[in-house]
Amino acid sequence: MPNMSRRPFLQLALGAATLPVASRGTRAETLARPITMIVPFAAGGPTDVLARILTEYMRNSLGHPVIIENVTGASGTVAGLRASRAAPDGTTITIGHWGTHCLNGAIYQLQYDVREFAPIALLASGPQLIIGRPDLPAKNLKELIAWLKTNGDKATAGTAGPGSGAHVAGVFFQQLTATHFSFVPYRGAGPALNDLMAGHIDIMFDQASNSLPQVKSGTVKAFAVTASSRLASAPEIPTVDEAGLLGLYIAYWHGIWAPKGTGPDIVSTLSKAVMSALAEPVVRQRFAELGQEIPSPDKQTPAALRDHQAAEVEKWWPIVKSANIKAE
Ligand code: MLT
C-alpha cells in the first residue's frame, strides 16, 4: 500500500527532476523518459521503415531517441493488445494503419477496441502494388489473371497475416476476377516480399512503400497500382483501371496512437514531435520516394486522425463483414 500522505511531496520532487522544461512550454513530461514505439510487424517491412524514418527526426523535438520495438503476430493484434495495456504516460506509443486500426476490428475478436487509443498524428497514405515473383510468366495484369485462372490450384499470395490489408485486397481481387489462389501469412510484408523475390510465393498485394525499391531494381514484377492515378515516383506502373481491373482502390494510411487515457499535454507534445518530423524536407523526400502522400498539417492532428479512423471504420467494417473475411 503506497503511503498516500507522501505522494504530493514525491510527485513534486520527481516533477522537479523529470519535468525540467515543461514550464518553458516546449518539451513536456515525456521528455525525460525513454519512449518506445511499438511496430506491429516485422523489421524491414513498410510500417517499420516509416517508423524508423520518423523516429529519427522525432528525437529532434523530444530531445532523446524513440526506441522501436517490433511486436509481431496475428496481423498486428498482438501489438494492439500490448499497446492498449501500456501505461498512458507517454512512454509507449504505437504506429498502426488501415489494417491494424480499422480492418482488425471487423475481422478479429479482440480484447481491445481499435478505436479506443488516443490519436497522436495521421502520417501519410499510399496505395498497394499488385506484384509477382520475377520469373512469373505473366507480363501484365490481364495475363496474370489468365495465369491465375489456369494455375489456381497451386498459386500462392503472400500476406502480412490473416485478415491483413494484403489478405483483404487479395480476397477482393479474387471476387472481382473470379480467380482462386491460396494465401500464405507472414509476420509482415517484409518477410513475405523476401519470399516473393526468392520465388517461394507467386504474388502479393503489397504496400507500394515496401515493394517500390524491388520493382525499380527488377527483383519483382509490378502489374498495377491500386489507385485511380499513377504514382509520381513510379509513373511506369499502370493503375488498376488502366490494367483492366476497374476500381480496386486501396489506400493504406498510417497513424500514431498512445494508450487511451494519455493526457492532453503528452498527446500534444508527441503530436508536435511527429508533425515537425513530417515537416522535415528529408522525411518528405523519403516518404515521397516510397509513394507516400503526407497530408497537410491541419490533416495530421490528433483530431484529424480520430475523424479519419472513424470514417474508415464506418466505410470498411460493413464491406469486410459482408465479404465474410476471416482471420484464418
Ligand atoms: C508491414 O509492415 O509488414 C505491413 O504494414 C503489413 C501490412 O501490409 O499490413
Side-chain angles (χ1 to χ4, degrees), residues 97-167:
H97 59 36
W98 174 60
T100 59
H101 284 72
C102 175
L103 302 179
N104 283 351
I107 293 174
Y108 282 84
Q109 296 291 325
L110 297 172
Q111 294 173 55
Y112 63 94
D113 187 329
V114 297
R115 299 162 296 183
E116 78 185 6
F117 295 89
I120 300 293
L122 181 59
L123 301 181
S125 73
Q128 287 178 318
L129 298 181
I130 303 175
I131 55 172
R133 61 178 157 81
D135 55 349
L136 203 66
K139 290 187 293 299
N140 54 47
L141 192 64
K142 284 195 174 131
E143 289 184 14
L144 175 67
I145 293 167
W147 184 84
L148 288 168
K149 284 192 171 161
T150 51
N151 292 277
D153 53 336
K154 57 176 198 279
T156 50
T159 74
S164 64
H167 181 191

Side-chain angles (χ1 to χ4, degrees), residues 92-270:
T92 306
I93 55 177
T94 184
I95 186 169
H97 59 36
W98 174 60
T100 59
H101 284 72
C102 175
L103 302 179
N104 283 351
I107 293 174
Y108 282 84
Q109 296 291 325
L110 297 172
Q111 294 173 55
Y112 63 94
D113 187 329
V114 297
R115 299 162 296 183
E116 78 185 6
F117 295 89
I120 300 293
L122 181 59
L123 301 181
S125 73
Q128 287 178 318
L129 298 181
I130 303 175
I131 55 172
R133 61 178 157 81
D135 55 349
L136 203 66
K139 290 187 293 299
N140 54 47
L141 192 64
K142 284 195 174 131
E143 289 184 14
L144 175 67
I145 293 167
W147 184 84
L148 288 168
K149 284 192 171 161
T150 51
N151 292 277
D153 53 336
K154 57 176 198 279
T156 50
T159 74
S164 64
H167 181 191
V168 168
V171 170
F172 291 150
F173 176 91
Q174 288 181 326
Q175 290 173 350
L176 284 171
T177 59
T179 53
H180 179 75
F181 45 83
S182 309
F183 291 101
V184 183
Y186 291 80
R187 284 182 173 263
L193 186 62
N194 288 341
D195 265 11
L196 188 81
M197 288 190 285
H200 300 317
I201 51 174
D202 298 309
I203 58 169
M204 274 178 76
F205 300 83
D206 191 25
Q207 291 177 60
S209 54
N210 196 38
S211 35
L212 268 179
Q214 277 65 37
V215 171
K216 299 266 181 202
S217 65
T219 48
V220 299
K221 275 186 180 176
F223 296 106
V225 55
T226 62
S228 58
S229 53
R230 295 187 180 206
L231 281 170
S233 55
E236 68 282 6
I237 305 172
T239 67
V240 275
D241 300 336
E242 292 168 331
L245 186 61
L246 282 180
L248 184 66
Y249 303 148
I250 305 282
Y252 242 94
W253 49 271
H254 275 81
I256 306 272
W257 289 264
K260 89 170 163 198
T262 303
D265 288 353
I266 298 174
V267 166
S268 165
T269 301
L270 291 168

Side-chain angles (χ1 to χ4, degrees), residues 38-42 69-73 76 78-80 82 187:
I38 295 177
V39 172
F41 296 96
E69 188 181 349
N70 298 85
V71 179
T72 65
V78 175
R82 167 93 166 269
R187 284 182 173 263

Side-chain angles (χ1 to χ4, degrees), residues 58-96:
M58 280 173 72
R59 69 184 294 169
N60 292 346
S61 41
L62 291 171
H64 60 79
V66 179
I67 298 143
I68 288 187
E69 188 181 349
N70 298 85
V71 179
T72 65
S75 298
T77 58
V78 175
L81 182 61
R82 167 93 166 269
S84 74
R85 293 190 171 165
D89 59 2
T91 56
T92 306
I93 55 177
T94 184
I95 186 169

